[in-house]
Amino acid sequence: MRAAGTERLRGEGGGLLLANHQSFLDPIVLGLPLERSITFLARDSLFRLPGFGRYLRAMKTLPIARDAPATAVMRAALAAIERGELVGLFPEGTRTADGSLGPLKPGFVTLARRSGRPVYPVGIAGAFECLPRSRKLPIPGPGRVRVVFGAPIPPERLNAAGGAAEIVVLVSERIAAAHAAAVRWRETGEEPSDVDATAEPG
């Protein structure tokens, strides 16, 4: 596994990490290259899986109940960001079925707006090949994983984007750019340049 753009998260201060969701390996490949810990959000049903629930708690993961108000977890996530922590979220809402980036759900928009902190778009490539959604046992196979941490989106840029739909488009474009850079890096072996990592499509 290799990562690019980690220098963008070396400073202090909270923020929201939004990444494409390739596999159960994603929290690990996001956290390993950083010198800071990440508090993740995940659906509560995953906490009931034998062994995996313990792993999620060890990773400081906050449960999200799909059929219950998200007020409590929203407060917990905002409190973590205010303490200067990074909060990680996979806005597709579920793991990809084929390795591609799917449409983003708008649930992250309120958290991004209320936090008043930067949003960090992240692209992951190769985790799907190591541990695809279709694999019955969650045992990863060998492979090459590349992670690209894109340029942060400042809160002023989010506010200027407009409504929730416009923010979803903006963040989708940024994650797509980081994902494309990670895919190229994995396929060609050429590490992303600063231009690739900070691309602002659209």
Side-chain angles (χ1 to χ4, degrees):
M1 194 206 82
R2 297 178 63 188
T6 57
E7 68 279 357
R8 298 190 172 97
L9 294 104
R10 287 176 186 160
E12 298 180 355
L16 184 62
L17 266 67
L18 299 178
N20 60 311
H21 200 4
Q22 293 222 317
S23 81
F24 283 143
L25 295 174
D26 294 341
I28 299 175
V29 302
L30 286 179
L32 277 177
L34 299 180
E35 298 175 355
R36 306 172 59 184
S37 63
I38 305 172
T39 297
F40 287 97
L41 307 182
R43 69 177 188 270
D44 60 346
S45 60
L46 295 175
F47 286 76
R48 295 191 288 271
L49 297 176
F52 195 64
R54 182 180 301 176
Y55 159 75
L56 291 175
R57 293 182 182 90
M59 294 289 290
K60 299 199 308 179
T61 306
L62 300 174
I64 301 175
R66 289 186 171 180
D67 56 350
T71 307
V73 70
M74 178 73 70
R75 286 199 299 263
L78 286 172
I81 294 175
E82 290 173 0
R83 289 194 301 268
E85 299 178 16
L86 298 173
V87 170
L89 183 63
F90 303 104
E92 292 165 279
T94 189
R95 289 165 293 155
T96 179
D98 58 7
S100 64
L101 173 66
L104 306 191
K105 298 183 182 301
F108 72 89
V109 172
T110 300
L111 181 57
R113 279 175 164 168
R114 290 186 181 179
S115 72
R117 299 297 302 170
V119 167
Y120 295 89
V122 189
I124 302 172
F128 169 78
E129 286 75 10
C130 292
L131 186 58
R133 182 174 181 171
S134 59
R135 186 166 297 172
K136 300 300 181 182
L137 295 177
I139 300 175
R144 293 173 290 110
V145 178
R146 300 292 181 263
V147 182
V148 173
F149 293 88
I153 307 172
E156 298 80 13
R157 178 69 181 90
L158 287 174
N159 293 334
E166 289 78 14
I167 292 176
V168 169
V169 170
L170 170 64
V171 173
S172 297
E173 290 176 342
R174 294 293 195 89
I175 294 177
H179 177 238
V183 170
R184 288 195 302 271
W185 186 10
R186 182 174 181 270
E187 293 179 350
T188 67
E190 182 179 353
E191 186 170 348
S193 66
D194 191 55
V195 174
D196 289 329
T198 61
E200 298 187 16

